[in-house]
Amino acid sequence: MVKLRLKRCGRKQRAIYRIVAIDVRSRREGKDLRRVGFYDPMKNQTFLNVPLILYFLERGAQPTGTVQNLLKKAEVFKELSPNQMKFN
């Protein structure tokens, strides 16, 4: 199963997170399948590759809670059809 989740980058006390599609069994800094965006909580910036995110969501990828909140803020779920929005 594939998840969309955050992968920590940056230096100590200055975290930046990549939003990645990754296998569920991988650890946080494990090998990702694809990078689909990034999130900087200090500057409150997000960059999302929306077509790639939609590609993974249509094929059953589950976003984690934090990633789901970021995607809701960016209104990514409005581009999905209602029957495709089945998240835990």
Side-chain angles (χ1 to χ4, degrees):
M1 180 178 182
V2 176
K3 279 205 177 233
L4 296 176
R5 67 182 187 202
L6 298 176
K7 184 175 185 179
R8 192 178 195 281
C9 300
R11 60 180 195 245
K12 187 166 47 170
Q13 302 295 320
R14 184 70 179 90
I16 294 175
Y17 297 93
R18 288 185 183 143
I19 301 169
V20 296
I22 194 166
D23 186 42
V24 141
R25 297 166 291 190
S26 297
R27 58 194 176 138
R28 184 182 68 183
E29 272 82 26
K31 180 137 175 73
D32 51 275
L33 300 172
R34 206 60 202 266
R35 294 180 191 158
V36 295
F38 78 88
Y39 170 59
D40 186 354
M42 297 291 214
K43 295 180 183 175
N44 201 17
Q45 291 180 334
T46 56
F47 170 78
L48 302 171
N49 187 344
V50 177
L52 199 55
I53 290 171
L54 291 175
Y55 170 82
F56 280 108
L57 289 174
E58 287 168 356
R59 279 152 185 80
Q62 297 290 312
T64 59
T66 306
V67 173
Q68 191 168 356
N69 290 339
L70 291 172
L71 296 178
K72 279 182 188 175
K73 273 187 191 175
E75 299 179 350
V76 172
F77 294 125
K78 289 185 178 179
E79 298 179 33
L80 280 176
S81 62
N83 61 349
Q84 292 175 333
M85 294 177 39
K86 298 174 186 166
F87 307 119
N88 295 339

